[in-house]
Amino acid sequence: MPNPITKAVIPAAGLGTRFLPATKAMPKEMLPVVDKPAIQYVVEEAVAAGLSDVLMITGRNKNALENHFDRVAELEATLEKKGDLAKLQRVNESTDLADIHYVRQGDPKGLGHAVLRARMHVGDEPFAVLLGDDLIDERDPLLSRMIEEQAKRNATVVALLEVDPSQIHLYGAAAVEKTDDDDVVRITGLVEKPPADSAPSNLAIIGRYVLRPEVFDVLEKTEPGKGGEIQLTDALQTLASDDSAGGVYGVVFRGRRYDTGDKIDYIKAIVQLACEREDLGNDLRPWLQEFVGSVRN
Ligand code: G1P
């Protein structure tokens, strides 16, 4: 049996230009989704799947990220003095969540390059990569399912989502074959952000990967691809075309996913999550219905 996976890598060095000016002085990962920064949902998801050793790949301007997962003595003391234990607990949640490490990406040379920066920390073990733009509903445990498949097949595993063909140019797209498992496919090819008319399928990679350490050697040799960046998708394509590292499989996700990567999706994610919250939903849902009824096109 291979070692159980314990490490999660979260690339968080992007500039967040889609959210300017909000991201001028603040990392996009710190944008609140309802009342928690987006990145906290991602760390919570890793921890829920048993991965409490988290490495964030950061860049300039990311101090707020480190501060968020650190103690804040003055605030804690004030809340304690006031006896506001509920708020104190909210403050401490992110501090106690996981064992978080940081490494800077340096040059912004793409997702593949960011993942390669994790090599020293990860060592010779399989590990997970979680991208912050995708939030997965905690009721639909995708990552645990992927970890299970990785252990069973000793392969590389990515998360796939069926998207509208008009959207596939925004994602890595997979050519696939069926397996005996209804939610698992074998990946025979991958292309980063293909035009709709040449995409191998409308199965898109969403931001969850369970990788074998062999990916690091492949990334070292991967030339810049789409957008002049070193693409993780290209390295996975190399692994898919050579079975010596166990091949690449996709877990097809059919659960609830919230994209926070652009403004409209970010707004939708907040509304959806807030509607489902016990403390907010009861007030928000009827208001929303009334508001929608009053909106003119
Ligand atoms: C990255 C990957 C892409 C993947 C996507 C998922 O792209 O390069 O293959 O489909 O994440 O969110 P990005 O959205 O960072 O441009």
Side-chain angles (χ1 to χ4, degrees), residues 277-294:
R277 280 262 297 252
E278 254 174 49
D279 56 339
L280 303 170
N282 286 344
D283 285 341
L284 184 60
R285 283 189 301 266
W287 175 83
L288 198 58
Q289 260 158 357
E290 203 183 311
F291 177 69
V292 169
S294 73

Side-chain angles (χ1 to χ4, degrees), residues 111 131 133-134 170-172 192-193 205-207 209 231 233 257:
L111 178 58
L131 305 188
D133 286 348
D134 290 299
L170 300 170
Y171 298 94
E192 179 67 3
K193 303 195 175 121
I205 304 179
I206 50 171
Y209 307 79
Q231 297 292 350
T233 305
R257 164 211 180 222

Side-chain angles (χ1 to χ4, degrees), residues 19 259 262-269:
F19 288 91
D259 185 358
D262 71 29
K263 274 182 237 179
I264 280 284
D265 288 328
Y266 171 71
I267 293 165
K268 288 181 193 166

Side-chain angles (χ1 to χ4, degrees), residues 39-77:
I39 189 85
Q40 190 175 332
Y41 289 85
V42 181
V43 176
E44 284 172 356
E45 182 192 334
V47 171
L51 315 181
S52 55
D53 179 334
V54 174
L55 177 71
M56 288 196 196
I57 317 291
T58 65
R60 292 196 169 276
N61 243 342
K62 302 285 180 170
N63 293 343
L65 257 176
E66 297 195 17
N67 290 341
H68 182 69
F69 293 101
D70 195 3
R71 301 212 81 93
V72 51
E74 206 182 85
L75 178 60
E76 288 172 35

Side-chain angles (χ1 to χ4, degrees), residues 6-293:
T6 57
K7 290 177 183 160
V9 173
I10 304 182
L15 295 176
T17 50
R18 286 184 202 161
F19 288 91
L20 282 169
T23 49
K24 185 178 171 190
M26 185 179 73
K28 72 167 175 179
E29 293 79 10
M30 287 300 294
L31 289 173
V33 176
V34 188
D35 52 5
K36 265 194 289 194
I39 189 85
Q40 190 175 332
Y41 289 85
V42 181
V43 176
E44 284 172 356
E45 182 192 334
V47 171
L51 315 181
S52 55
D53 179 334
V54 174
L55 177 71
M56 288 196 196
I57 317 291
T58 65
R60 292 196 169 276
N61 243 342
K62 302 285 180 170
N63 293 343
L65 257 176
E66 297 195 17
N67 290 341
H68 182 69
F69 293 101
D70 195 3
R71 301 212 81 93
V72 51
E74 206 182 85
L75 178 60
E76 288 172 35
T78 309
L79 292 171
E80 224 166 286
K81 217 152 106 197
K82 276 199 204 158
D84 196 338
L85 298 183
K87 284 210 183 96
L88 184 63
Q89 198 214 333
R90 297 288 281 162
V91 165
N92 286 336
E93 266 165 19
S94 58
T95 321
D96 301 335
L97 200 51
D99 185 11
I100 304 188
H101 309 262
Y102 302 89
V103 59
R104 285 200 182 198
Q105 186 175 358
D107 297 326
K109 290 198 218 152
L111 178 58
H113 177 252
V115 171
L116 191 50
R117 298 287 292 131
R119 184 172 207 162
M120 283 291 279
H121 183 85
V122 166
D124 198 22
E125 304 167 18
F127 63 104
V129 173
L130 294 88
L131 305 188
D133 286 348
D134 290 299
L135 304 186
I136 303 295
D137 197 295
E138 59 186 358
R139 293 163 293 185
D140 302 317
L142 168 63
L143 193 56
S144 310
R145 177 77 190 99
M146 294 171 69
I147 291 172
E148 184 180 77
E149 272 312 302
Q150 198 284 326
K152 184 172 121 192
R153 297 176 190 270
N154 199 14
T156 296
V157 178
V158 305
L160 296 176
L161 180 77
E162 211 172 307
V163 298
D164 190 275
S166 67
Q167 298 299 299
I168 196 71
H169 69 282
L170 300 170
Y171 298 94
V176 303
E177 283 171 357
K178 283 188 175 169
T179 69
D180 292 340
D181 289 306
D182 172 51
D183 65 337
V184 181
V185 289
R186 196 175 83 83
I187 294 182
T188 57
L190 285 164
V191 195
E192 179 67 3
K193 303 195 175 121
D197 55 8
S198 65
S201 76
N202 62 338
L203 285 171
I205 304 179
I206 50 171
R208 299 293 178 272
Y209 307 79
V210 184
L211 303 174
R212 285 181 35 153
E214 285 82 351
V215 74
F216 293 127
D217 276 342
V218 178
L219 281 168
E220 294 269 16
K221 294 187 204 107
T222 300
E223 297 289 332
K226 195 98 190 175
E229 297 188 336
I230 298 171
Q231 297 292 350
L232 181 58
T233 305
D234 293 346
L236 298 181
Q237 157 63 22
T238 305
L239 289 170
S241 60
D242 166 14
D243 265 350
S244 66
V248 182
Y249 289 81
V251 167
V252 182
F253 184 58
R254 301 193 176 99
R256 287 156 281 196
R257 164 211 180 222
Y258 312 97
D259 185 358
T260 62
D262 71 29
K263 274 182 237 179
I264 280 284
D265 288 328
Y266 171 71
I267 293 165
K268 288 181 193 166
I270 293 176
V271 172
Q272 279 174 288
L273 284 163
C275 277
E276 291 184 23
R277 280 262 297 252
E278 254 174 49
D279 56 339
L280 303 170
N282 286 344
D283 285 341
L284 184 60
R285 283 189 301 266
W287 175 83
L288 198 58
Q289 260 158 357
E290 203 183 311
F291 177 69
V292 169

